[in-house]
Amino acid sequence: MLIGAGGATSAGSFDGITQSYDTIGDSWLTKTRSSTGRDDGPGFMVDQNVYLISGEVAANTVGNSCERYDYVTDTWASVANVTVARRQGVGSSANNGGFSITGNDSGSASA
């Protein structure tokens, strides 16, 4: 399963679009959008969930929100915000049912 979520558009807006790739049909399927459009934030797959953390949410504005996507039910849910917002060049790893992030550019935090 390959999931693509969020990103910046060519017009410079931030999008919460979510898509999954169907390897059998060789096509992308549009799924439920996340509530926060973001770019340059880390993402993780833990169990059957994808987590999107922080990232740029508007031009030069880094958000600290986190969301969890359940690809089985095609639903997004907000989870606890990170205490330091991060984007670009973030180091991250998933292990033992959790994940860790270390940051680069924290920019200006927003909710």
Side-chain angles (χ1 to χ4, degrees), residues 22-37:
D22 176 356
T23 57
I24 296 169
D26 189 28
S27 62
W28 286 92
L29 307 170
T30 301
K31 301 297 195 175
T32 301
R33 290 178 179 270
S34 66
S35 62
T36 302

Side-chain angles (χ1 to χ4, degrees), residues 21-77:
Y21 181 67
D22 176 356
T23 57
I24 296 169
D26 189 28
S27 62
W28 286 92
L29 307 170
T30 301
K31 301 297 195 175
T32 301
R33 290 178 179 270
S34 66
S35 62
T36 302
R38 68 184 79 228
D39 189 31
D40 287 335
F44 298 95
M45 183 81 157
V46 178
D47 299 324
Q48 69 181 28
N49 299 298
V50 174
Y51 291 83
L52 295 183
I53 300 141
S54 205
E56 190 169 3
V57 296
N60 299 311
T61 303
V62 182
N64 64 345
S65 66
C66 299
E67 292 179 276
R68 177 182 59 229
Y69 177 68
D70 182 327
Y71 67 84
V72 173
T73 62
D74 188 29
T75 56
W76 284 95

Side-chain angles (χ1 to χ4, degrees), residues 70-92:
D70 182 327
Y71 67 84
V72 173
T73 62
D74 188 29
T75 56
W76 284 95
S78 293
V79 296
N81 291 343
V82 293
T83 56
V84 177
R86 295 183 164 95
R87 67 172 174 194
Q88 300 172 339
V90 175
S92 55

